[in-house]
Amino acid sequence: DQQVKQNSPSLSVQEGRISILNCDYTNSMFDYFLWYKKYPAEGPTFLISISSIKDKNEDGRFTVFLNKSAKHLSLHIVPSQPGDSAVYFCAAFAGNTPLVFGKGTRLSVIA
Amino acid sequence: DSGVTQTPKHLITATGQRVTLRCSPRSGDLSVYWYQQSLDQGLQFLIQYYNGEERAKGNILERFSAQQFPDLHSELNLSSLELGDSALYFCASNERGGETQYFGPGTRLLVL
């Protein structure tokens, strides 16, 4: 049973445009959500997070939106740059339980 | 560089063998996590240690075991290896447990 789902395995975006990566979850106990970015041959690196008491968190070009009623979050990257090309993992957390990761979305930003 | 180191980077072995993967957490981090990433799969949580003690267990096979030593480094032991164990194995750490984890570069295991 996949508690965190990233339904788009890949996404291709033009440089300078907006990239929107989506994530759905099923466990209503999740109270903290994170996005990780992974380049080939490297481990995932933390990108941005959001607590369930908020609906938006912004950090530079990256914004995460949380819609608790829909159990949906999204990561917006504006403007997209070629260096953003990577695999993005959505992860969710509930109390002291381990992080639950989605399968990832491969973003390709085309120059 | 996250500050988490993992050795070896690559490992090729045969079915039925046993291997040990090593992880050194960031300086000061007490919590170590192990994850497995198989082809087209997300990161599957295996096990967490906190200051030498097992804190949480995920979908870790009985053939797999781990420990965290007094110097806080951790080892993941995989035995009776099968072809399906071929995967990337990541270690992550943080100070006390909690959400944000810092990942090492991973060990790529290939079982032939």
Side-chain angles (χ1 to χ4, degrees):
Chain A
D1 176 32
Q2 238 189 311
Q3 297 186 68
V4 176
K5 296 179 187 177
Q6 294 178 255
N7 291 319
S8 298
S10 63
L11 176 67
S12 203
V13 170
Q14 285 287 126
E15 181 180 4
R17 301 288 192 116
I18 184 171
S19 294
I20 300 176
L21 295 96
N22 294 304
C23 178
D24 296 298
Y25 61 95
T26 57
N27 187 344
S28 56
M29 298 301 291
F30 287 142
D31 57 7
Y32 204 84
F33 303 88
L34 306 90
W35 285 93
Y36 279 82
K37 174 176 169 179
K38 184 183 178 305
Y39 291 119
E42 295 182 13
T45 54
F46 170 72
L47 188 58
I48 192 169
S49 62
I50 188 166
S51 162
S52 61
I53 62 172
K54 295 187 171 183
D55 54 19
K56 177 182 173 181
N57 188 26
E58 197 170 342
D59 183 1
R61 297 185 297 112
F62 302 91
T63 303
V64 56
F65 295 92
L66 176 62
N67 182 335
K68 286 193 295 291
S69 60
K71 293 194 178 71
H72 177 84
L73 65 155
S74 60
L75 174 68
H76 292 210
I77 306 173
V78 183
S80 301
Q81 299 173 353
D84 296 329
S85 297
V87 177
Y88 290 79
F89 290 99
C90 170
F93 181 81
N96 283 323
T97 60
L99 276 178
V100 179
F101 283 85
K103 291 188 178 183
T105 296
R106 182 179 301 278
L107 174 66
S108 300
V109 180
I110 304 159
Chain B
D1 184 357
S2 66
V4 178
T5 60
Q6 288 187 248
T7 56
K9 273 189 149 65
H10 304 277
L11 199 46
I12 301 175
T13 188
T15 54
Q17 295 298 304
R18 173 190 164 96
V19 297
T20 298
L21 313 184
R22 183 188 167 106
C23 168
S24 293
R26 294 186 320 158
S27 177
D29 283 357
L30 299 178
S31 225
V32 169
Y33 307 79
W34 286 98
Y35 292 87
Q36 179 192 57
Q37 185 186 15
S38 303
L39 194 64
D40 293 332
Q41 295 292 315
L43 291 141
Q44 301 291 321
F45 169 72
L46 295 177
I47 197 163
Q48 176 198 358
Y49 277 82
Y50 177 77
N51 203 21
E53 296 196 2
E54 183 183 303
R55 173 63 68 88
K57 218 166 184 174
N59 296 326
I60 186 166
L61 300 171
E62 283 192 18
R63 301 184 285 108
F64 295 2
S65 65
Q67 53 184 324
Q68 186 179 27
F69 294 86
D71 67 352
L72 301 177
H73 91 271
S74 178
E75 292 181 357
L76 179 67
N77 300 297
L78 315 176
S79 61
S80 303
L81 284 167
E82 301 175 1
L83 296 177
D85 298 327
S86 296
L88 270 167
Y89 291 85
F90 289 103
C91 165
S93 74
N94 57 19
E95 194 176 347
R96 283 194 197 86
E99 321 84 26
T100 306
Q101 298 173 16
Y102 299 89
F103 282 79
T107 293
R108 184 175 292 278
L109 173 68
L110 181 60
V111 183
L112 299 175

PDB file of all heavy atoms in Angstrom, chain B residues 9 23 28 34 45 70 91 93 100 102 108:
ATOM      1  N   LYS B   9      31.473   2.410  -2.555  1.00  0.00           N
ATOM      2  CA  LYS B   9      30.561   3.065  -3.510  1.00  0.00           C
ATOM      3  C   LYS B   9      29.850   2.020  -4.369  1.00  0.00           C
ATOM      4  O   LYS B   9      28.686   2.152  -4.696  1.00  0.00           O
ATOM      5  CB  LYS B   9      31.338   3.997  -4.422  1.00  0.00           C
ATOM      6  CG  LYS B   9      31.525   5.380  -3.892  1.00  0.00           C
ATOM      7  CD  LYS B   9      32.111   6.247  -4.990  1.00  0.00           C
ATOM      8  CE  LYS B   9      31.732   7.637  -4.930  1.00  0.00           C
ATOM      9  NZ  LYS B   9      31.779   8.678  -4.335  1.00  0.00           N
ATOM     10  N   CYS B  23      28.471   3.009   7.036  1.00  0.00           N
ATOM     11  CA  CYS B  23      28.002   4.395   7.003  1.00  0.00           C
ATOM     12  C   CYS B  23      28.575   5.161   8.181  1.00  0.00           C
ATOM     13  O   CYS B  23      28.502   4.702   9.329  1.00  0.00           O
ATOM     14  CB  CYS B  23      26.473   4.419   7.078  1.00  0.00           C
ATOM     15  SG  CYS B  23      25.756   6.051   7.384  1.00  0.00           S
ATOM     16  N   GLY B  28      28.153  14.654  15.097  1.00  0.00           N
ATOM     17  CA  GLY B  28      27.137  15.079  16.058  1.00  0.00           C
ATOM     18  C   GLY B  28      25.786  14.410  15.882  1.00  0.00           C
ATOM     19  O   GLY B  28      24.933  14.505  16.768  1.00  0.00           O
ATOM     20  N   TRP B  34      18.761   3.524   7.342  1.00  0.00           N
ATOM     21  CA  TRP B  34      19.133   2.797   6.126  1.00  0.00           C
ATOM     22  C   TRP B  34      17.916   2.683   5.216  1.00  0.00           C
ATOM     23  O   TRP B  34      16.804   2.381   5.671  1.00  0.00           O
ATOM     24  CB  TRP B  34      19.656   1.404   6.451  1.00  0.00           C
ATOM     25  CG  TRP B  34      21.026   1.389   7.039  1.00  0.00           C
ATOM     26  CD1 TRP B  34      21.371   1.310   8.362  1.00  0.00           C
ATOM     27  CD2 TRP B  34      22.265   1.441   6.315  1.00  0.00           C
ATOM     28  NE1 TRP B  34      22.734   1.321   8.497  1.00  0.00           N
ATOM     29  CE2 TRP B  34      23.305   1.397   7.267  1.00  0.00           C
ATOM     30  CE3 TRP B  34      22.597   1.515   4.956  1.00  0.00           C
ATOM     31  CZ2 TRP B  34      24.652   1.428   6.895  1.00  0.00           C
ATOM     32  CZ3 TRP B  34      23.930   1.548   4.597  1.00  0.00           C
ATOM     33  CH2 TRP B  34      24.946   1.506   5.554  1.00  0.00           C
ATOM     34  N   PHE B  45      12.330   2.442   3.483  1.00  0.00           N
ATOM     35  CA  PHE B  45      12.987   2.496   4.777  1.00  0.00           C
ATOM     36  C   PHE B  45      13.252   1.080   5.280  1.00  0.00           C
ATOM     37  O   PHE B  45      12.369   0.225   5.259  1.00  0.00           O
ATOM     38  CB  PHE B  45      12.090   3.257   5.758  1.00  0.00           C
ATOM     39  CG  PHE B  45      12.524   3.154   7.196  1.00  0.00           C
ATOM     40  CD1 PHE B  45      13.661   3.821   7.624  1.00  0.00           C
ATOM     41  CD2 PHE B  45      11.808   2.397   8.097  1.00  0.00           C
ATOM     42  CE1 PHE B  45      14.056   3.732   8.949  1.00  0.00           C
ATOM     43  CE2 PHE B  45      12.191   2.303   9.411  1.00  0.00           C
ATOM     44  CZ  PHE B  45      13.323   2.970   9.840  1.00  0.00           C
ATOM     45  N   PRO B  70      29.604   2.224  19.067  1.00  0.00           N
ATOM     46  CA  PRO B  70      29.794   3.347  20.006  1.00  0.00           C
ATOM     47  C   PRO B  70      30.291   4.627  19.355  1.00  0.00           C
ATOM     48  O   PRO B  70      29.992   5.722  19.834  1.00  0.00           O
ATOM     49  CB  PRO B  70      30.806   2.789  21.009  1.00  0.00           C
ATOM     50  CG  PRO B  70      30.551   1.312  21.005  1.00  0.00           C
ATOM     51  CD  PRO B  70      30.196   0.976  19.577  1.00  0.00           C
ATOM     52  N   CYS B  91      22.325   5.508   3.309  1.00  0.00           N
ATOM     53  CA  CYS B  91      22.337   5.780   4.727  1.00  0.00           C
ATOM     54  C   CYS B  91      22.016   7.265   4.893  1.00  0.00           C
ATOM     55  O   CYS B  91      22.394   8.081   4.048  1.00  0.00           O
ATOM     56  CB  CYS B  91      23.737   5.455   5.247  1.00  0.00           C
ATOM     57  SG  CYS B  91      24.102   6.107   6.864  1.00  0.00           S
ATOM     58  N   SER B  93      21.395  10.448   8.122  1.00  0.00           N
ATOM     59  CA  SER B  93      21.531  10.714   9.554  1.00  0.00           C
ATOM     60  C   SER B  93      20.887  12.039   9.910  1.00  0.00           C
ATOM     61  O   SER B  93      20.638  12.897   9.047  1.00  0.00           O
ATOM     62  CB  SER B  93      23.003  10.714   9.982  1.00  0.00           C
ATOM     63  OG  SER B  93      23.689  11.883   9.547  1.00  0.00           O
ATOM     64  N   THR B 100      13.971  16.026   8.905  1.00  0.00           N
ATOM     65  CA  THR B 100      14.992  16.264   7.888  1.00  0.00           C
ATOM     66  C   THR B 100      16.177  15.336   8.094  1.00  0.00           C
ATOM     67  O   THR B 100      16.788  15.315   9.159  1.00  0.00           O
ATOM     68  CB  THR B 100      15.457  17.726   7.934  1.00  0.00           C
ATOM     69  OG1 THR B 100      14.307  18.571   7.823  1.00  0.00           O
ATOM     70  CG2 THR B 100      16.403  18.013   6.773  1.00  0.00           C
ATOM     71  N   TYR B 102      19.841  13.702   6.342  1.00  0.00           N
ATOM     72  CA  TYR B 102      20.933  14.018   5.431  1.00  0.00           C
ATOM     73  C   TYR B 102      21.492  12.703   4.907  1.00  0.00           C
ATOM     74  O   TYR B 102      21.897  11.851   5.691  1.00  0.00           O
ATOM     75  CB  TYR B 102      21.997  14.841   6.168  1.00  0.00           C
ATOM     76  CG  TYR B 102      21.418  16.138   6.668  1.00  0.00           C
ATOM     77  CD1 TYR B 102      20.818  16.212   7.921  1.00  0.00           C
ATOM     78  CD2 TYR B 102      21.406  17.263   5.855  1.00  0.00           C
ATOM     79  CE1 TYR B 102      20.230  17.395   8.357  1.00  0.00           C
ATOM     80  CE2 TYR B 102      20.829  18.452   6.290  1.00  0.00           C
ATOM     81  CZ  TYR B 102      20.232  18.501   7.533  1.00  0.00           C
ATOM     82  OH  TYR B 102      19.649  19.662   7.960  1.00  0.00           O
ATOM     83  N   ARG B 108      26.049   1.143  -4.368  1.00  0.00           N
ATOM     84  CA  ARG B 108      25.335   0.396  -5.408  1.00  0.00           C
ATOM     85  C   ARG B 108      25.756  -1.054  -5.328  1.00  0.00           C
ATOM     86  O   ARG B 108      26.934  -1.374  -5.526  1.00  0.00           O
ATOM     87  CB  ARG B 108      25.635   0.964  -6.791  1.00  0.00           C
ATOM     88  CG  ARG B 108      24.844   0.285  -7.897  1.00  0.00           C
ATOM     89  CD  ARG B 108      25.077   0.940  -9.246  1.00  0.00           C
ATOM     90  NE  ARG B 108      24.532   2.278  -9.327  1.00  0.00           N
ATOM     91  CZ  ARG B 108      23.259   2.558  -9.592  1.00  0.00           C
ATOM     92  NH1 ARG B 108      22.391   1.578  -9.785  1.00  0.00           N
ATOM     93  NH2 ARG B 108      22.861   3.799  -9.660  1.00  0.00           N
TER      94      ARG B 108
END
